Amino acid sequence: MMSLLDYFRITKTSSASLAKERLQILVAHERSSRHQPSYLPQLQKELLEVIKKYVNVDQDAISFNFEQDENQETLELNIVLPDHQAKNF
Amino acid sequence: MARIIVVTSGKGGVGKTTTSAAIAMGLAKRGHKTAVIDFDVGLRNLDLIMGCERRVVYDFINVINGEASLNQALIRDKHCDQLYILPASQTRDKDALSQEGVGKVLEELSKDFQYVVCDSPAGIERGAHLAMYYADDAFVVTNPEVSSVRDSDRMLGLLASKSRRAERNEEPIKEYLLLSRYSPERVKIGDMLSVNDVQDILSLHLLGVIPESKSVLTASNSGVPVILDEKSDAGQAYADIVARYLGEERPHRFIDEKKGLFGKLFGGK
């Protein structure tokens, strides 16, 4: 239940500013993925599988970045390797 | 050559048909011969908003299929002789709209009309795609609400990539923001995204703000485009939008709260 104090508190974040913040993040993300080729998610998944065969990394350790300018398209792949790189087979 | 305007939004229920009817009427009232086309095959409603539902004989798909001529299908508006309505088919399969067929109808209309307003269905399916494909200008109708803003941004992506202008590498479609169902009172207390918030997110040229208004429902009840209700705030907002689109300078209204008598007396500016 909302207390009387809450009711009079003026400093609480408005729902509109929350909406704006959420939308700005979402729209920026959706815009950046708009120009990516449609095969990218699949490529990302398969590359990750291959890398996992050799190095013990989790999903978060890999980031993909696709960039496009007039002359070329660049696919950048960043892997943060764990301290002990090689898997023990 | 006609200028082709698509009225689009992605999300349903934000006011596309209300807007299409109002701006088509506004352009026609100002002496520009205008046609307004309903692209919502299977769920036509523009006829109802325009008040010509009982005069529909042939429709858009009859024309595409060659079962009726364009002149037979076009309905002349009863309020303005410069305005014609091309209704959607209520019964046919929506696949009956073909890109080639739509292109032919628009080309024929272009010979005789100055503006063609395409009322897009909601969603991103065939009808919505074809409504925007041949457009020169896009009126993106958005409500100050998260899902509508997100969907509008999605439509901007499609306008930039899936249109004839994009495919031919021509000058891109001109995009305009129409912010509808706006409530300055709710914006003031932080309950609703403001015009500036929405512009910050979408970075679109603002053509006008349409306030949340009772007159929109009464206009649709009686089948008269709301722009003809010249006393109403929504009607005036649409009149401003048409004027701005035609290149006139009009200060933006309906962004700030309406002041009551007390506010008018003591509120300063």
Side-chain angles (χ1 to χ4, degrees):
Chain A
M1 207 182 87
M2 201 169 66
S3 75
L4 205 61
L5 260 174
D6 279 342
Y7 189 78
F8 288 108
R9 204 170 57 182
I10 322 157
T11 51
K12 84 176 171 199
T13 324
S14 74
S15 66
S17 57
L18 193 60
K20 184 180 183 182
E21 198 184 310
R22 291 173 63 213
L23 276 169
Q24 276 176 323
I25 295 166
L26 182 68
V27 165
H29 179 254
E30 289 183 342
R31 281 185 184 176
S32 72
S33 59
R34 199 173 280 165
H35 304 291
Q36 290 179 351
S38 58
Y39 60 74
L40 204 63
Q42 185 65 25
L43 174 69
Q44 200 164 325
K45 191 170 156 258
E46 286 177 25
L47 278 175
L48 190 65
E49 278 162 18
V50 172
I51 291 162
K52 272 186 170 170
K53 273 191 189 170
Y54 301 95
V55 190
N56 204 355
V57 290
D58 57 293
Q59 191 93 31
D60 303 338
I62 299 181
S63 68
F64 287 79
N65 191 19
F66 182 81
E67 274 177 24
Q68 204 172 17
D69 62 33
E70 278 168 28
N71 304 316
Q72 56 183 2
E73 294 174 343
T74 324
L75 177 66
E76 195 182 287
L77 172 62
N78 272 306
I79 313 165
V80 181
L81 294 175
D83 292 343
H84 302 288
Q85 293 179 14
K87 245 184 178 175
N88 297 321
F89 287 102
Chain B
M1 266 307 270
R3 194 89 189 156
I4 298 171
I5 303 168
V6 61
V7 177
T8 185
S9 71
K11 191 176 180 300
V14 298
K16 280 182 298 297
T17 302
T18 299
T19 298
S20 300
I23 59 154
M25 179 62 82
L27 289 166
K29 287 285 273 183
R30 298 187 56 138
H32 304 288
K33 194 171 180 189
T34 302
V36 55
I37 308 178
D38 192 347
F39 274 78
D40 205 346
V41 173
L43 290 168
R44 80 163 169 234
N45 275 319
L46 181 68
D47 54 338
L48 208 48
I49 301 301
M50 302 289 303
C52 64
E53 70 277 9
R54 293 173 58 157
R55 291 195 288 148
V56 176
V57 183
Y58 295 111
D59 58 53
F60 196 7
I61 287 173
N62 290 137
V63 179
I64 288 176
N65 290 345
E67 295 150 0
S69 71
L70 190 53
N71 281 331
Q72 284 177 304
L74 285 172
I75 304 168
R76 182 194 279 208
D77 186 80
K78 59 190 171 199
H79 302 283
C80 181
D81 61 8
Q82 294 287 81
L83 179 59
Y84 291 79
I85 299 119
L86 184 57
S89 172
Q90 184 68 313
T91 52
R92 307 280 188 122
D93 181 10
K94 60 179 188 298
D95 291 336
L97 279 185
S98 66
Q99 182 160 305
E100 197 196 354
V102 171
K104 275 187 185 163
V105 171
L106 289 176
E107 198 179 320
E108 205 181 331
L109 283 170
S110 282
K111 291 177 193 156
D112 200 25
F113 287 83
Q114 282 174 282
Y115 291 99
V116 179
V117 177
C118 302
D119 181 20
S120 173
I124 52 172
E125 299 297 310
R126 189 180 192 86
H129 166 68
L130 290 175
M132 71 164 63
Y133 185 74
Y134 295 97
D136 300 304
D137 300 314
F139 287 10
V140 181
V141 184
T142 307
N143 291 169
E145 178 271 327
V146 286
S147 52
S148 174
V149 175
R150 180 199 211 170
D151 288 0
S152 291
D153 191 65
R154 179 97 171 85
M155 298 322 280
L156 294 177
L158 295 175
L159 286 165
S161 61
K162 306 279 187 204
S163 63
R164 183 168 66 167
R165 281 174 175 267
E167 284 175 8
R168 291 183 173 177
N169 268 323
E170 293 172 355
E171 198 186 323
I173 296 174
K174 283 206 181 89
E175 300 154 344
Y176 301 94
L177 173 65
L178 278 74
L179 194 59
S180 61
R181 309 200 70 162
Y182 196 71
S183 170
E185 293 79 14
R186 302 199 70 185
V187 170
K188 195 182 178 193
I189 58 172
D191 267 0
M192 182 181 269
L193 290 164
S194 70
V195 193
N196 290 335
D197 290 341
V198 178
Q199 274 186 287
D200 282 352
I201 297 159
L202 296 178
S203 319
L204 269 184
H205 178 75
L206 178 71
L207 203 55
V209 171
I210 304 107
E212 173 79 59
S213 170
K214 288 178 182 168
S215 56
V216 172
L217 183 59
T218 52
S220 80
N221 284 342
S222 40
V224 178
V226 70
I227 198 169
L228 292 178
D229 184 355
E230 288 165 13
K231 290 199 177 95
S232 72
D233 45 3
Q236 290 171 13
Y238 279 117
D240 283 357
I241 284 168
V242 170
R244 285 189 202 106
Y245 175 68
L246 293 173
E248 289 173 29
E249 294 267 344
R250 294 264 177 118
H252 283 284
R253 296 192 276 171
F254 313 110
I255 291 175
D256 297 315
E257 284 175 286
K258 272 179 275 183
K259 281 181 181 163
L261 184 61
F262 188 83
K264 277 179 186 157
L265 288 174
F266 303 104
K269 197 180 100 163

